Amino acid sequence: MFLDCGGKPECLEKKPTHVRGEHANSTHNRSQPGSEPGEPLPEMLQLPLVVTVQVDLVLVLISSLAFLTRLSCLSYPNAVVFDEVYYGQFVSLYMKRIFFIDDSGPPLGHIILALGAYLGGFDGNFVWNRIGAEYPMGMNVWSLRLLPALCGALCVPLGYLLALELKFSHVSALGAAVLLLLENSLIVQSRFLLLESVLIFFVLLALLSYLRFQNSTSSSWSRYGWLLLCGVSCAAAVGVKYMGLVSYLLLLGVASVDTWNVIGDRAASHLSVCVQCFCRFMCLLVVPALLYIFWFYIHLSVLNHSGPHDQLMSSAFQASLKGGLSRITKGQPLEVAFGSQVTLRSSASHPVPCWLHSHKANYPVRYENGRGSSHQQQVTCYPFKDVNNWWIIKDPNRQDLVVDTPPKPVHHGDVIQLVHGMTSRFLNSHDVAAPMSPHAQEVSGYIDFNVSMPAQNLWRVDITNREAKSEVWKTIVSDVRLVHVNTSAVLKLSGVSLPEWGFRQLEVVAEKAFKVHSSSLGWTVEEHRYGTSQEQKDREVELHSPTHIDVDRKISFWAKFVELQWKMLTLKQEESEHKYSSSPVEWITMKTNIAYWLHTSTNAQIHLIGNLVSWGVAHLSMLAYQLLAVIYLLRRRRGFKDISDGAWEQFVRLGCVCVGSWLVNFVPFLLMEKTIFLYHYLPALCYLHLLTPTLLEHVHTHLLSSPTHRRLLHVCVIGVLLYVFLCFWTFCPLTYGTPELSASQLQRLKWRDSWDILYRRQ
């Protein structure tokens, strides 16, 4: 069927037009069922439907090369590489659902690594005890290393897109991607069971998402999807490592300035300003906070079995885990009563968790420094389960050491006596200096030597986490201070070890509450039974035969989250010097390297060594930017504008993103006292690789007007890129561990005397 156009040439030559993203309208309409002849069809029913897709072939190419460099031969070497020995232990615990604490960062990083292991069928049955240990044949090493490698590969196209969002050309974006692609240190760190590549990925994704949001038109609601992705990425970055927090805070600072400008925009309506501020608040503050808590929710939900770090947590936390303390305390009475037999655990976990303890040994008559003591029975804190940790809660008005029927609970404010279960000595304190802490009172098991030293063995129960004034003392749940009635001193763990005469156990003293840190004052009833034996011999037998009464005790997620977060922030593990540790100043010049893996019988090895050429150019670019910024500022202050306001704004934003991010990721390490390594510098280094090509474009566009100078710059850039590739290729054997090099070849790769290149003479 043809339209009758009356023979007009323009009608005969008319062609279909295609509109991008929509269907094309043909020059004729075909009748469809249900439509009247001559009536135009509804827009959604017109055919054909045409979809136009734009593909950035450069982005596809660099992404393909990134996946090739990061994922090829991922299972090699089939052995534990450097910090895989550290993170692998946590992956195994995840597979077995065993609780642990890692003070180096929140749990999301471990969750991601464990996910890769789970997808590969890893069951956790591998002993991560030494670097170089061979993985068993059935272990899917490729899956273990897959997710960090994917994150490392995606960092390359993210760098490309970031340069574009900073309003620079595709050539500069390609340059940034090439520098990231050929950075040997980033490749090495991406190919193993490590977390730096995961952290860098989420940080770059957060930055890209915010710039996309910022550059989108204000009338588009889809731009808030980018803002939401930014908030999710920030939460993920902080959830992987605490160093992600500095990038998050920098981004919040930039967002705060932008929001302030939005508030000052008088062209926008009040409703529009309020909506924009609310969306920013929700996406950049509320969503990250909720997701950060969600990472811990997953962590605590999965790790519900007792493990090696249980004793660092409170008794209530331990009792919520399967096995361990929960097996011991299952069915214990909930309410502490007069006559109860209890063990009292110190709320302080420093230097180690311990229980109130006594034994048949007295304090020396005189200490080494000549001071005298009461010579009464020693009371200490013992870091192991022991029958001498048992005490009996006694009513001062009664002689019985058994629980009444019905039991008479102990409430907040009640006065009690504590009787040692195995020796029947009363917990006592008096105006005698403690053995190791002379400013505090001695605590002893009272012995009457008939020397005018009466018993002072009354203690008032102070439940610090009570919800009501008449709160009942509860097993595991209640945190209690024991206040000495006669002196108002509080029973506490001093944390000091006693000498040989005290069997190196920890000192317990009584001290005025206002002088003491609150965490060392608390005690928790951990094991508990209702005593039924009045005679000493029967009671000793009873202490070894606990009775059980079924009681359901639970601790909320929020209580566990707060406690775990506090432990992670305050737990200080012993730091020791490492052969490959380094200082932040040494990172800039790459004075040190790290030997990640060495073959047991050949010279095949893997080292964390950066691309020296790109590394040096990156730091020169940072210095050049700072120098240029100072010159611009001084000249603008004097009224000279060397570049347009648009170019100046682009230059400033480049500094905020690249130089600012480098500073916040580098300076904190100058203030740290912990052991740090070269790989800690990699997040900061990525921003310098973004800075190098973009700064060169700025110089080329705004500062070089002579064609000769521009051609000279082109030649220099091509030469530098060639040297970057040659350096990358030269160190590939140390990046991938293959091919094996001879001793003489390895010696030639030792470009710096301070590098530790290992080789076997052949």
Side-chain angles (χ1 to χ4, degrees):
M1 179 185 292
F2 298 94
L3 284 174
D4 183 7
C5 58
K8 295 181 180 180
E10 62 269 25
C11 183
L12 295 173
E13 294 175 359
K14 189 174 183 180
K15 297 179 180 180
T17 58
H18 295 268
V19 180
R20 183 178 300 172
E22 301 177 358
H23 63 277
N25 295 322
S26 64
T27 59
H28 59 275
N29 290 329
R30 297 184 179 181
S31 299
Q32 300 291 336
S35 64
E36 296 294 333
E39 179 183 343
L41 289 172
E43 186 177 357
M44 293 302 296
L45 296 180
Q46 295 180 6
L47 298 175
L49 297 177
V50 179
V51 178
T52 302
V53 179
Q54 288 185 331
V55 178
D56 189 337
L57 295 180
V58 175
L59 180 61
V60 172
L61 176 63
I62 62 171
S63 299
S64 302
L65 291 175
F67 284 110
L68 178 66
T69 55
R70 270 68 175 176
L71 270 67
S72 60
C73 302
L74 199 58
S75 298
Y76 180 83
N78 190 45
V80 178
V81 175
F82 199 61
D83 270 355
E84 284 188 338
V85 74
Y86 177 76
Y87 291 109
Q89 298 176 28
F90 299 128
V91 170
S92 288
L93 292 174
Y94 248 101
M95 295 300 100
K96 298 178 180 180
R97 306 189 67 176
I98 295 176
F99 174 77
F100 65 85
I101 298 178
D102 178 19
D103 63 333
S104 66
L108 180 61
H110 299 302
I111 293 173
I112 292 173
L113 297 181
L115 175 61
Y118 174 78
L119 294 176
F122 180 53
D123 58 5
N125 292 320
F126 179 76
V127 180
W128 308 83
N129 56 359
R130 64 180 179 88
I131 299 173
E134 292 287 332
Y135 289 122
M137 290 296 295
M139 193 167 170
N140 192 339
V141 181
W142 186 86
S143 177
L144 278 175
R145 297 169 176 169
L146 175 62
L147 295 183
L150 287 175
C151 290
L154 290 172
C155 289
V156 176
L158 283 177
Y160 177 86
L161 296 172
L162 266 172
L164 294 179
E165 292 302 323
L166 288 170
K167 306 293 182 65
F168 288 92
S169 68
H170 283 79
V171 175
S172 294
L174 176 60
V178 168
L179 292 177
L180 292 171
L181 177 70
L182 301 180
E183 177 53 60
N184 299 70
S185 58
L186 290 177
I187 295 175
V188 171
Q189 202 67 20
S190 301
R191 289 172 51 82
F192 302 110
L193 194 69
L194 308 171
L195 288 179
E196 267 63 36
S197 62
V198 182
L199 171 63
I200 295 171
F201 167 74
F202 283 122
V203 169
L204 293 181
L205 181 60
L207 189 56
L208 173 66
S209 303
Y210 186 78
L211 291 176
R212 275 282 174 92
F213 162 77
Q214 197 178 44
N215 294 334
S216 300
T217 57
S218 57
S219 60
S220 173
W221 279 99
S222 62
R223 66 194 291 254
Y224 288 100
W226 289 108
L227 189 64
L228 179 61
L229 178 59
C230 175
V232 172
S233 301
C234 287
V238 178
V240 170
K241 280 197 169 187
Y242 284 127
M243 276 308 297
L245 182 63
V246 296
S247 297
Y248 174 48
L249 293 177
L250 176 66
L251 196 147
L252 280 182
V254 174
S256 299
V257 174
D258 292 340
T259 305
W260 186 251
N261 293 333
V262 169
I263 295 173
D265 184 6
R266 296 187 178 182
S269 66
H270 295 322
L271 178 61
S272 174
V273 170
C274 290
V275 169
Q276 291 191 59
C277 292
F278 176 77
C279 291
R280 284 171 165 84
F281 174 78
M282 293 298 296
C283 292
L284 296 182
L285 289 174
V286 176
V287 169
L290 293 177
L291 284 176
Y292 181 79
I293 296 172
F294 180 65
W295 311 144
F296 279 88
Y297 180 81
I298 297 174
H299 183 71
L300 293 171
S301 299
V302 173
L303 307 185
N304 58 1
H305 287 73
S306 174
H309 296 162
D310 286 11
Q311 289 193 350
L312 297 173
M313 310 306 293
S314 68
S315 300
F317 194 108
Q318 293 182 56
S320 69
L321 302 173
K322 297 179 181 178
L325 181 63
S326 64
R327 184 176 56 209
I328 298 172
T329 60
K330 183 179 180 180
Q332 288 185 160
L334 176 61
E335 296 183 347
V336 177
F338 289 105
S340 287
Q341 299 169 355
V342 300
T343 62
L344 292 165
R345 184 181 188 267
S346 173
S347 298
S349 58
H350 297 292
V352 291
C354 61
W355 292 262
L356 189 65
H357 176 94
S358 188
H359 42 243
K360 291 183 178 180
N362 297 353
Y363 291 113
V365 177
R366 290 199 176 275
Y367 302 122
E368 290 82 351
N369 58 10
R371 288 190 298 111
S373 76
S374 66
H375 195 48
Q376 294 182 7
Q377 185 167 297
Q378 297 174 16
V379 173
T380 65
C381 205
Y382 190 52
F384 301 100
K385 301 285 186 180
D386 189 85
V387 71
N388 281 314
N389 296 344
W390 286 95
W391 298 81
I392 302 169
I393 309 296
K394 180 181 178 299
D395 186 344
N397 300 318
R398 298 184 53 192
Q399 294 300 317
D400 292 342
L401 296 177
V402 296
V403 175
D404 292 339
T405 304
K408 181 184 177 183
V410 179
H411 294 80
H412 168 72
D414 285 352
V415 176
I416 64 170
Q417 292 174 310
L418 283 167
V419 181
H420 188 240
M422 298 301 291
T423 64
S424 298
R425 301 296 183 189
F426 285 76
L427 186 70
N428 186 81
S429 187
H430 39 219
D431 190 17
V432 175
M436 309 305 295
S437 307
H439 59 279
Q441 295 175 191
E442 177 191 84
V443 175
S444 63
Y446 183 73
I447 302 175
D448 187 2
F449 290 118
N450 195 22
V451 289
S452 301
M453 189 176 287
Q456 299 181 39
N457 52 28
L458 299 178
W459 302 85
R460 187 175 66 255
V461 176
D462 179 15
I463 303 175
T464 57
N465 60 342
R466 64 187 181 277
E467 297 179 357
K469 290 185 178 180
S470 59
E471 180 78 37
V472 174
W473 189 359
K474 296 176 182 177
T475 305
I476 292 177
V477 177
S478 298
D479 193 21
V480 171
R481 296 195 308 175
L482 295 173
V483 183
H484 191 236
V485 172
N486 298 78
T487 62
S488 298
V490 181
L491 188 73
K492 64 157 287 190
L493 168 67
S494 74
V496 181
S497 295
L498 296 171
E500 289 294 340
W501 54 258
F503 310 102
R504 300 293 180 185
Q505 296 176 17
L506 300 176
E507 181 190 43
V508 173
V509 301
E511 192 170 352
K512 301 293 184 181
F514 63 87
K515 298 180 181 179
V516 188
H517 191 271
S518 59
S519 65
S520 61
L521 299 175
W523 299 87
T524 303
V525 171
E526 190 169 271
E527 296 180 64
H528 177 208
R529 63 175 67 88
Y530 283 160
T532 58
S533 302
Q534 181 65 40
E535 297 297 327
Q536 176 66 24
K537 290 185 178 180
D538 296 336
R539 190 162 58 245
E540 291 179 10
V541 174
E542 185 180 14
L543 291 175
H544 292 87
S545 305
T547 58
H548 297 290
I549 301 174
D550 290 331
V551 175
D552 184 26
R553 272 188 305 277
K554 292 183 179 179
I555 179 173
S556 69
F557 161 73
W558 291 106
K560 294 174 71 174
F561 165 72
V562 171
E563 181 179 349
L564 177 57
Q565 182 67 86
W566 178 251
K567 288 292 182 183
M568 292 173 64
L569 294 175
T570 58
L571 181 64
K572 292 184 179 180
Q573 297 183 355
E574 292 186 6
E575 295 288 342
S576 58
E577 280 297 320
H578 192 282
K579 179 180 180 181
Y580 293 110
S581 62
S582 54
S583 68
V585 177
E586 294 173 332
W587 299 342
I588 296 177
T589 58
M590 209 193 307
K591 185 178 179 180
T592 60
N593 68 310
I594 304 177
Y596 269 20
W597 171 79
L598 174 66
H599 195 278
T600 55
S601 58
T602 71
N603 275 328
Q605 54 193 281
I606 294 175
H607 288 258
L608 184 69
I609 296 178
N611 188 310
L612 271 176
V613 178
S614 63
W615 201 286
V617 171
H619 292 92
L620 288 176
S621 299
M622 181 197 52
L623 293 176
Y625 179 91
Q626 293 173 336
L627 178 61
L628 194 57
V630 170
I631 294 174
Y632 277 156
L633 287 171
L634 291 176
R635 288 181 60 80
R636 291 176 77 88
R637 184 63 176 169
R638 296 296 299 168
F640 300 101
K641 291 188 176 181
D642 301 290
I643 57 178
S644 66
D645 290 339
W648 169 250
E649 182 180 345
Q650 183 190 42
F651 182 80
V652 171
R653 186 160 72 155
L654 176 64
C656 290
V657 171
C658 294
V659 180
S661 296
W662 178 83
L663 286 172
V664 298
N665 281 279
F666 175 72
V667 172
F669 289 107
L670 295 172
L671 309 176
M672 290 184 184
E673 297 180 357
K674 62 182 291 185
T675 303
I676 50 180
F677 299 89
L678 180 63
Y679 58 73
H680 286 118
Y681 187 56
L682 297 183
L685 179 68
C686 290
Y687 296 104
L688 296 188
H689 285 330
L690 289 175
L691 176 66
T692 300
T694 50
L695 181 61
L696 284 174
E697 179 180 335
H698 176 85
V699 172
H700 179 275
T701 305
H702 302 289
L703 300 183
L704 299 181
S705 56
S706 169
T708 303
H709 292 163
R710 289 187 173 183
R711 282 194 293 269
L712 181 61
L713 180 61
H714 296 165
V715 172
C716 292
V717 168
I718 293 173
V720 169
L721 287 177
L722 180 61
Y723 275 109
V724 167
F725 176 77
L726 289 176
C727 186
F728 160 76
W729 189 259
T730 301
F731 284 95
C732 269
L734 298 184
T735 300
Y736 295 96
T738 183
E740 177 194 351
L741 301 181
S742 65
S744 60
Q745 289 174 316
L746 288 171
Q747 283 182 316
R748 286 196 293 270
L749 288 181
K750 191 174 182 179
W751 288 10
R752 301 206 57 174
D753 293 336
S754 55
W755 287 0
D756 185 23
I757 304 294
L758 310 172
Y759 58 88
R760 294 180 173 86
R761 297 188 181 274
Q762 296 177 349

